């Protein structure tokens, strides 16, 4: 089953349609993408804009047959006819509800009639409520508790700062597996209460919540595999250490754009706290020591690392950064999203040895000695200048006259003839010139194409230019 992207901007091609509803003119975007992940453009300005709208009202309007026509095909929409709705229900006779509801940026503040939610949302598994006005956990729990098969819930950018979550409300989230709380400023204690009530939570998104410290919890969440906590204010590794205690099954830890200064734990602690960590993202962290990079090797299952934008690497070229990182991290197979091949690893490790060739013994990193054991102490590579030669010193022969001459190799044969006029006292039209390669067994080669560049003859120092006057 496909999952709504976290930014919840469906990539579907959209076709605009205008329809009249009970509240006036409504503009909606109708998606033709599989899964019917429909994006409402939020252009409506209903009368309830000041007090907020209900989940039921928005769902009724967006997924009515006029705004969301039924389409055949997998995931294109499910016709739901309510059988349990109360008499006099404001709902239409039927709604074309997909299993993934996208109701972001619709001004939703309240749940509305719970019986309506229960009647129409039995089959819904994914729900996007981001960028609404939900600020009461009790209202959110009314929605969630009436969607029995809900697995994915996005509450990003709802104003939940300082809002209290009662344990009874938290129980409503027990079936959710993927929870997105980006930019909600939800407190860490509230987040922990949620995780305690969600026994099978697998993915948790907590970006842009201004966390600088996190509270340790005795209650663990062993099911969590992915924690995305980018763009917060974490600076001390002691806070990151708590993630290991709370989420022992963690597979992927994304901490980009946190100013973490160093990795302080020992081998024993890292192996105990993060025994299953396979992927870590430390982009734009504050790491500035190679010792911190070496510590990543202590994570027993680490395979993928992202380490762009850290102060440690600013002084190196792109090639040096990648090579030194690969050599320092022998177990990784992906670096910054790119596969590390066996041949690239060998080249990087050999480069690492040569890079440290002139370092004092006391400054050599531990990894250097490991690689010298593997490859031996390699000598620096010979520097070969592959740039084309600019000039050559040649002998110019004309009849009995011989003269040494420095010529530019980027000039043409015609330009060389002009240079020779002052040497052999002949005009360019009255001379024929030949190139003699002193290391070749072949005879002189006439230079008869005036536009040909001299470097194409591979002229070397000591070669000869023979000038012969033209006969009338």
């Amino acid at each position: 089953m496909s999952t709504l992207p976290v930014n919840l901007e469906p990539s579907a091609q959209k076709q605009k349609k205008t329809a009249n509803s009970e509240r006036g003119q409504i503009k909606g975007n109708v998606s033709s993408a599989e899964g019917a992940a429909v994006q409402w453009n939020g252009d409506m300005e209903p009368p309830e804009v000041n007090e907020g709208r209900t989940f039921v009202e928005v769902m009724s309007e967006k997924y009515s047959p006029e705004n969301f026509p039924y389409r055949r095909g997998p995931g294109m929409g499910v016709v739901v006819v309510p059988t349990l709705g109360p008499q006099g229900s404001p709902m239409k006779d039927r709604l074309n509800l997909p299993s993934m509801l996208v109701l972001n940026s619709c001004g939703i503040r309240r749940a509305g009639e719970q019986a309506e939610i229960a009647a129409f949302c039995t089959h819904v598994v994914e729900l996007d409520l981001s960028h609404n006005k939900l600020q009461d956990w009790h209202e959110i729990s009314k929605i969630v508790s009436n969607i029995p098969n809900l697995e994915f819930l996005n509450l990003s950018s709802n104003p939940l700062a300082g809002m209290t979550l009662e344990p009874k409300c938290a129980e409503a989230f027990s079936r959710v597996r993927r929870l997105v709380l980006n930019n909600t400023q939800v407190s860490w204690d509230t987040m922990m209460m949620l995780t305690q009530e969600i026994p099978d939570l697998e993915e948790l998104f907590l970006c842009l919540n201004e966390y600088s410290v996190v509270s340790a919890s005795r209650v663990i969440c062993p099911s969590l595999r992915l924690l995305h906590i980018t763009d917060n204010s974490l600076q001390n590794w002691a806070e990151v250490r708590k993630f290991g205690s709370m989420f022992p099954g963690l597979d992927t830890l994304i901490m980009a754009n946190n100013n973490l200064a160093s990795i302080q734990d020992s081998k024993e602690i890292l192996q105990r706290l993060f025994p299953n960590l396979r992927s870590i993202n430390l982009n734009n962290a504050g790491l500035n020591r190679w010792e911190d990079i070496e510590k990543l090797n202590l994570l027993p299952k680490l395979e993928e690392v992202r380490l762009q934008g850290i102060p440690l690497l600013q002084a190196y070229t792109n090639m040096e950064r990648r090579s030194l990182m690969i050599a320092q991290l022998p177990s990784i197979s992906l670096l910054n999203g790119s596969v590390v091949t066996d041949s690239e690893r060998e080249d990087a490790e050999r480069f690492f040895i040569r890079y440290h060739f002139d370092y004092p013994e006391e400054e050599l990193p531990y990894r250097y000695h490991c690689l010298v054991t593997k490859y031996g102490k390699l000598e620096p590579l010979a520097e070969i200048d592959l740039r084309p030669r600019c000039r050559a010193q040649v002998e110019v022969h004309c009849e009995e006259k011989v003269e040494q001459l420095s010529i530019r190799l980027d000039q043409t044969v015609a330009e060389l003839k002009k240079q020779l006029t002052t040497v052999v006292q002949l005009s360019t039209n009255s001379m024929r010139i030949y190139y003699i390669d002193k290391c070749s067994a072949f005879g002189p080669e006439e230079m008869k194409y005036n536009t040909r560049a001299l470097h194409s003859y591979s002229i070397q120092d000591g070669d000869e230019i023979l000038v012969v006057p033209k006969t009338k």
Side-chain angles (χ1 to χ4, degrees):
M1 178 179 61
S2 62
T3 301
L4 293 173
V6 173
N7 61 13
L8 295 152
E9 293 285 343
S11 59
Q13 296 179 353
K14 302 168 186 170
Q15 55 186 36
K16 290 192 173 181
K17 180 169 181 171
T18 304
N20 289 321
S21 73
E22 298 173 358
R23 306 188 186 281
Q25 198 76 4
I26 300 173
K27 289 184 180 179
N29 287 335
V30 181
S31 167
S32 61
E34 276 194 19
V38 178
Q39 170 82 49
W40 197 328
N41 65 8
D43 288 342
M44 293 189 304
E45 291 293 340
E48 309 93 321
V49 67
N50 292 327
E51 64 183 36
R53 312 187 69 213
T54 70
F55 174 84
V56 172
E57 288 168 344
V58 171
M59 180 175 63
S60 175
E61 289 178 355
K62 179 173 181 181
Y63 293 105
S64 66
E66 293 84 4
N67 290 327
F68 189 69
Y70 173 66
R71 298 168 183 270
R72 295 184 178 276
M76 295 307 295
V78 178
V79 177
V80 180
V81 180
T83 57
L84 303 176
Q87 194 165 8
S89 166
M91 302 287 278
K92 305 292 185 183
D93 291 336
R94 70 177 194 178
L95 295 180
N96 295 333
L97 284 182
S99 59
M100 294 177 286
L101 301 187
V102 181
L103 299 175
N104 62 315
S105 305
C106 295
I108 298 172
R109 191 187 295 271
R110 294 171 289 122
E113 181 58 53
Q114 294 185 67
E116 301 286 5
I117 302 173
F120 282 88
C121 296
T122 303
H123 67 291
V124 172
V125 293
E126 302 191 8
L127 176 60
D128 173 14
L129 292 174
S130 63
H131 296 275
N132 279 292
K133 300 179 180 180
L134 294 162
Q135 57 183 6
D136 187 338
W137 282 106
H138 185 60
E139 291 297 317
I140 298 172
S141 68
K142 288 180 184 178
I143 299 171
V144 175
S145 63
N146 287 287
I147 307 178
N149 295 302
L150 188 64
E151 295 184 358
F152 174 87
L153 175 62
N154 187 352
L155 294 172
S156 295
S157 299
N158 280 278
L160 294 171
M163 296 298 107
T164 302
L165 173 63
E166 300 294 336
K168 189 171 182 61
C169 291
E171 294 173 4
F173 297 82
S174 62
R175 293 174 297 275
V176 173
R177 293 176 180 270
R178 298 178 295 281
L179 179 61
V180 187
L181 296 170
N182 296 337
N183 194 32
T184 57
Q185 276 67 56
V186 62
S187 72
W188 189 262
D189 290 340
T190 297
M191 187 280 301
M192 288 306 301
M193 182 182 293
L194 282 169
T195 60
Q196 291 170 22
E197 296 297 333
I198 307 177
D200 297 318
L201 184 64
E202 297 175 0
E203 299 179 5
L204 181 60
F205 295 78
L206 298 171
C207 308
L208 295 162
N209 282 331
E210 302 179 10
Y211 297 135
S212 57
V213 295
V214 298
S215 304
S217 173
R218 293 182 179 179
V219 180
I220 66 173
C221 181
S223 60
L224 195 73
R225 297 291 177 265
L226 181 149
L227 176 61
H228 199 310
I229 196 163
T230 290
D231 288 293
N232 280 280
S233 302
L234 299 171
Q235 299 184 28
N236 194 324
W237 185 262
E239 306 305 319
V240 179
R241 184 185 303 135
K242 297 171 187 176
F243 300 152
S245 301
M246 291 184 282
F247 312 120
L250 204 59
D251 170 276
T252 301
L253 178 57
I254 303 174
M255 294 188 297
N257 304 333
N258 284 279
N259 195 28
L260 290 166
S262 64
I263 300 175
Q264 299 161 343
D265 287 332
S266 65
K267 177 179 180 179
E268 292 73 24
I269 293 176
L270 288 172
Q271 291 182 342
R272 176 171 55 84
L273 293 180
F274 298 100
N276 299 298
L277 192 64
R278 185 194 56 81
S279 174
I280 191 168
N281 184 329
L282 291 167
N283 284 350
N284 300 314
L287 303 178
N288 56 20
R289 303 182 310 155
W290 280 109
E291 290 84 349
D292 294 314
I293 309 305
E294 290 176 354
K295 285 203 172 178
L296 295 176
N297 290 319
L298 305 178
L299 298 168
K301 293 188 179 179
L302 192 67
E303 297 176 357
E304 179 178 1
V305 172
R306 290 181 182 267
L307 270 169
Q308 295 177 305
I310 64 175
L312 172 66
L313 301 179
Q314 297 308 307
Y316 300 96
T317 67
N318 289 338
M319 186 279 291
E320 289 172 340
R321 290 173 190 170
R322 185 166 176 86
S323 295
L324 293 173
M325 293 291 291
I326 291 173
Q328 283 276 20
L329 299 169
S331 64
I332 64 167
S333 55
L334 280 169
L335 176 63
N336 296 328
S338 298
V339 174
V340 179
T341 64
D342 291 341
S343 59
E344 184 183 22
R345 178 170 298 284
E346 180 174 346
D347 290 344
E349 291 175 344
R350 289 178 177 274
F351 172 82
F352 189 90
I353 294 174
R354 292 188 170 102
Y355 185 86
H356 293 89
F357 182 78
D358 293 325
Y359 275 53
E361 183 69 25
E362 64 274 10
E363 295 182 17
L364 290 172
Y366 171 76
R367 184 66 180 151
Y368 172 86
H369 300 290
C370 296
L371 293 176
V372 166
T373 301
K374 182 177 180 180
Y375 296 105
K377 195 167 184 179
L378 305 177
E379 295 294 327
L381 293 174
E383 293 187 8
I384 301 174
D385 189 355
L386 298 178
R387 293 173 297 178
R389 291 171 55 84
C390 297
R391 307 189 73 86
Q393 194 76 19
V394 297
E395 288 184 355
V396 178
H397 293 253
C398 182
E399 297 179 326
E400 300 298 325
K401 187 176 182 180
V402 178
E403 189 163 333
Q404 298 289 330
L405 184 66
S406 176
I407 61 174
R408 284 186 12 251
L409 299 179
D410 60 346
Q411 65 182 334
T412 64
V413 170
E415 291 170 327
L416 175 61
K417 286 181 178 179
K418 288 182 182 179
Q419 184 180 0
L420 292 174
T421 56
T422 59
V423 178
V424 298
Q425 306 302 317
L426 293 171
S427 67
T428 58
N429 292 328
S430 60
M431 71 171 72
R432 299 172 67 179
I433 60 175
Y434 298 81
Y435 164 57
I436 301 174
D437 182 351
K438 297 189 74 172
C439 296
S440 172
F442 299 100
E445 177 183 357
E446 184 173 3
M447 305 169 75
K448 56 185 177 181
Y449 300 107
N450 285 333
T451 58
R452 184 173 173 181
L454 297 189
H455 63 70
S456 66
Y457 290 93
S458 300
I459 299 174
Q460 302 291 322
D461 290 340
D463 288 345
E464 297 179 2
I465 301 294
L466 176 62
V467 182
V468 178
K470 286 186 179 178
T471 56
K472 297 182 180 180

